[in-house]
Amino acid sequence: MTPGQEHSSVSRRLAYVVISVVFANYLGNAFLYVLNAGATPARIAGSLACLLSIGYLQLRVFSRPGTNLRSRGAYLALGLMALLVFVPVPLFPNAWGGMPGFLAGSALLVLPGRVRWFAFAAVALANPATKAGYGVPTGVLAYYVASSLTAGLVVYGLSRLPSLVARLETARSELAGLAVAQARLGFARDLQDLVGFSLATITLKAGVARGMIGEHTIRATHEVARIIGISREALTDVRAVASSYRELSLSDEIESARSVLAAAGVVTTVETGHPELSPPARTALATVLREAVSNLLRHGGATRCSITIGGAGRTVSIDVVHDGVPAGAGQSDGLTTLATRVAAAGGSLLAQVAGPDGTYQVHAEVPASPAPAEPVRRPRFSGPPIATRFAGALLTAVVIGYGVMAPLLASYNLATGLTKLAVCAASSAGIVALVLGVVSRPRVQPGPAGHAALAGIAVLVLVPQFVFHDPFVGGVPGFLAGAAALVLPRRPGWAAFAVVVAGQGVVHAVLGSAPTDVVWGLMATTNHGLALYALTRLRSMVTELHEAREELATAAVTQERLRFARDLHDLLGYSLSAITLKSELTHRLAVVDPDRARQELTEVLEISRQALADVRSVALSYRELSFDEESRSAQALLSAADIEVTVRIDACDHLPGEVRVTLATVLREGVTNLLRHSKAEHCEITLSSSPDLVSLDLTNDGIPSVARKSSDGSGIGNLTTRVRALGGDLLAGPVSEQTYRLHAEIPLPLRASR
């Protein structure tokens, strides 16, 4: 069991103990008054049956976690509770004065919306109304109203807060999941930006170098040397992504862009005149340059490109301008993500068609130096959660309610006039102020302020009692017991709680109270103290659980990073190491053994293509798939592998989300298998949609070596399961001697075709 689970388990156990004791005291107090009014076997049996039934309904129905309080059974139980609360009043008028609190609290739990608050108020007013004909003094009738309201809130709060704790446990898990999802998006973005681009560059340069060996061996060795450098950088990038930190070199990125564009036949000019840049500024500009060049290569068609980096005042800008305008210019998902990242660095990014000649421009500005660092603060939520606000308001209402009840009760019990009543009211007000201002603050810790407040409450309780020789003039003695349990360390606190409770029994006895009042004093002191302690502690626990969600989310993200690092190492570490070793071997053999060098470069191409597919599989497992993005990535990858691509895609915006994600998964797996197993030269991707059916075809002219077994492979098997889960079907296999097809079709629900 984790510390958080143990903490929440303790809070639930505390709630159950407090609920049981408080409710038992309410019921016991009523039974005490039944006995005091004249005990007969029939009265004892009848009152016990009613009281035990009320306790059972409250503990086993209304206060039980997991109970459906909007069910028919809950409404029937509420009706039965109303009968048990009001029907026995003619038989036990005074004894039953505390029972409407159970009905009021249960009404808050069961009834919906505003209706519950009207019912709550109605029950509180009905309590004195049912006793008005029995000669009950006006002060006592007012006391019945206050006690119904306060007891109802206590019943509601003690029944409700344990379920709120459980809800917060669920909420913190959901937040941790959201934090993991955000981390996954960042991982996927960094993986695509860094490692994917490097592998695409390696693939391009390996193909160029292989064609140069023999006729332009010297140039080929330069390209191979660059492959070695890129593969080593990619290994570094893998470690950087896994640790979620990197600082890109702007100068290295400029040289990389110049080299890869030259290899792609793009005439490139570079102008730099920037001032000294901070590491964040260099990284931001390098990231912009990398994404801009990646988009240029992805969409193709460019013959000229200019890269300009310059500074003006406190900002530095970069412009990448080329004559290959991509389809859907300005709508690239990569550039959209990049704009967000640049904005987070305090800059701005604009991608648009610029000038009458139709050139395409990516322009970004970032601060040359970072803004002054602010003190590191722990992330906090924008405001207290609803559960925390509710717990605080509930505690405040209960404390004030008990404070109001004390002088009302004193007005009935005091033998003489207004002096004692004024002292009781002043004592209650002072105790309420100390409790709300100091004692009940969240996460109360022992300290001078708490000890001073505890001493003040003790004075306000005990001094009036002994000065006026009346136990009812001391405000709310139970708050002294609850404050001791809150302010003092655990064992001394509960020992002090017991001493205060027992002491109030002694005070009542010494000052001449009737035995019934002595028992009442013990019960009331216990209930008031437990209510204060429980509501204060439960509010603190709700607050602590709420804040703990940040820590749990951080822990979940850390765990996800470790898993991501393992995936990167397992999938890419070997591939990049193999590329580096084979490229170094090619560099040595290019002059002395051209044939062997070409063979090594061929293997480098195969490894880099498979690594690209692995990058995609890792990245796409960390983010929600987009079919549009997947189709663009498929074209870029296949083009980088020298495979001619034809794409025919109908608009798919009207498709349900799960259908789009499944089709994107099918396309991704199909392209991955094609790159890994096929020797294709041509590939056709077709997505066609009708009102009731959508189908995806991925056809190529390279029969995989495992074609006859592909239907049994885990990748195709998983795809088949996903497609069939939507009511569709998937077929994969050769359709002729030279053609292989992956075909998926999914029926559309009626709402998707409208």
Side-chain angles (χ1 to χ4, degrees), residues 62-146:
F62 302 122
S63 302
R64 186 176 184 178
T67 300
N68 182 5
L69 295 177
R70 297 292 184 266
S71 65
R72 181 180 179 183
Y75 283 102
L76 290 175
L78 185 64
L80 179 58
M81 175 74 82
L83 294 176
L84 293 169
V85 165
F86 287 117
V87 170
V89 169
L91 299 175
F92 319 107
N94 291 328
W96 238 242
M99 295 303 97
F102 286 106
L103 179 60
S106 299
L108 288 178
L109 290 167
V110 174
L111 299 178
R114 297 180 180 179
V115 174
R116 59 181 181 168
W117 292 106
F118 286 113
F120 175 78
V123 171
L125 294 175
N127 188 16
T130 58
K131 300 171 179 61
Y134 298 96
V136 179
T138 303
V140 176
L141 293 178
Y143 176 83
Y144 283 149
V145 174

Side-chain angles (χ1 to χ4, degrees), residues 14-93:
L14 170 66
Y16 300 147
V17 170
V18 170
I19 287 173
S20 300
V21 173
V22 171
F23 292 173
N25 277 340
Y26 278 140
L27 298 171
N29 183 57
F31 185 66
L32 186 66
Y33 277 101
V34 170
L35 296 178
N36 193 49
T40 65
R43 288 173 63 85
I44 292 175
S47 63
L48 278 177
C50 291
L51 292 173
L52 291 176
S53 298
I54 291 173
Y56 178 85
L57 290 174
Q58 194 62 56
L59 289 172
R60 300 298 296 173
V61 178
F62 302 122
S63 302
R64 186 176 184 178
T67 300
N68 182 5
L69 295 177
R70 297 292 184 266
S71 65
R72 181 180 179 183
Y75 283 102
L76 290 175
L78 185 64
L80 179 58
M81 175 74 82
L83 294 176
L84 293 169
V85 165
F86 287 117
V87 170
V89 169
L91 299 175
F92 319 107

Side-chain angles (χ1 to χ4, degrees), residues 351-423:
Q352 63 181 359
V353 178
D357 55 351
T359 56
Y360 187 72
Q361 177 188 32
V362 176
H363 173 80
E365 293 183 359
V366 297
S369 299
E374 296 183 357
V376 177
R377 298 178 181 176
R378 182 182 177 183
R380 298 297 299 271
F381 294 96
S382 58
I386 293 176
T388 305
R389 291 199 299 268
F390 161 75
L394 179 65
L395 174 62
T396 301
V398 168
V399 170
I400 293 175
Y402 280 139
V404 171
M405 288 168 59
L408 289 175
L409 183 63
S411 68
Y412 173 70
N413 287 283
L414 294 178
T416 57
L418 297 177
T419 301
K420 289 184 179 181
L421 184 61
V423 170

Side-chain angles (χ1 to χ4, degrees), residues 25 28-29 32-33 36 409 413 465 470-472 477 498-527:
N25 277 340
N29 183 57
L32 186 66
Y33 277 101
N36 193 49
L409 183 63
N413 287 283
Q465 287 180 334
D470 195 313
F472 293 96
V499 168
V500 171
V501 171
Q504 284 301 301
V506 172
V507 168
H508 276 268
V510 169
L511 296 180
S513 297
T516 303
D517 288 337
V518 173
V519 177
W520 177 90
L522 292 172
M523 290 183 173
T525 304
T526 301
N527 266 21

Side-chain angles (χ1 to χ4, degrees), residues 238-551:
V238 166
R239 292 192 294 269
V241 173
S243 63
S244 196
Y245 173 82
R246 71 182 188 281
E247 179 183 319
L248 298 184
S249 168
L250 180 58
S251 58
D252 289 348
E253 204 61 42
I254 291 173
E255 292 304 315
S256 176
R258 194 197 306 268
S259 176
V260 73
L261 290 173
V266 179
V267 178
T268 307
T269 59
V270 178
E271 297 181 8
T272 59
H274 55 81
E276 185 67 24
L277 301 176
S278 64
R282 290 197 301 268
T283 298
L285 293 180
T287 305
V288 171
L289 178 58
R290 171 169 288 194
E291 182 62 33
V293 172
S294 178
N295 277 346
L296 186 157
L297 295 174
R298 184 179 299 125
H299 299 291
T303 60
R304 294 177 291 105
C305 178
S306 66
I307 301 170
T308 305
I309 302 174
R314 297 182 179 180
T315 63
V316 62
S317 63
I318 181 171
D319 288 274
V320 181
V321 182
H322 58 84
D323 59 354
V325 180
Q331 303 300 320
S332 167
D333 290 338
L335 290 178
T336 301
T337 302
L338 185 62
T340 302
R341 298 175 67 181
V342 171
S348 61
L349 181 136
L350 178 65
Q352 63 181 359
V353 178
D357 55 351
T359 56
Y360 187 72
Q361 177 188 32
V362 176
H363 173 80
E365 293 183 359
V366 297
S369 299
E374 296 183 357
V376 177
R377 298 178 181 176
R378 182 182 177 183
R380 298 297 299 271
F381 294 96
S382 58
I386 293 176
T388 305
R389 291 199 299 268
F390 161 75
L394 179 65
L395 174 62
T396 301
V398 168
V399 170
I400 293 175
Y402 280 139
V404 171
M405 288 168 59
L408 289 175
L409 183 63
S411 68
Y412 173 70
N413 287 283
L414 294 178
T416 57
L418 297 177
T419 301
K420 289 184 179 181
L421 184 61
V423 170
C424 181
S427 173
S428 297
I431 292 171
V432 168
L434 288 173
V435 166
L436 295 179
V438 180
V439 175
S440 66
R441 304 288 292 181
R443 296 181 298 277
V444 173
Q445 298 293 334
H451 294 156
L454 182 61
I457 295 172
V459 170
L460 291 171
V461 168
L462 298 175
V463 170
Q465 287 180 334
F466 286 101
V467 168
F468 292 96
H469 301 284
D470 195 313
F472 293 96
V473 78
V476 192
F479 284 174
L480 177 59
L486 288 167
V487 172
L488 299 177
R490 183 177 180 182
R491 290 185 178 179
W494 284 110
F497 185 99
V499 168
V500 171
V501 171
Q504 284 301 301
V506 172
V507 168
H508 276 268
V510 169
L511 296 180
S513 297
T516 303
D517 288 337
V518 173
V519 177
W520 177 90
L522 292 172
M523 290 183 173
T525 304
T526 301
N527 266 21
H528 297 166
L530 285 179
L532 174 61
Y533 178 85
L535 294 180
T536 300
R537 279 297 187 216
L538 287 174
R539 183 179 73 167
S540 297
M541 290 174 184
V542 168
T543 302
E544 291 167 8
L545 284 172
H546 180 69
E547 294 177 349
R549 296 187 302 176
E550 293 278 353
E551 298 176 5

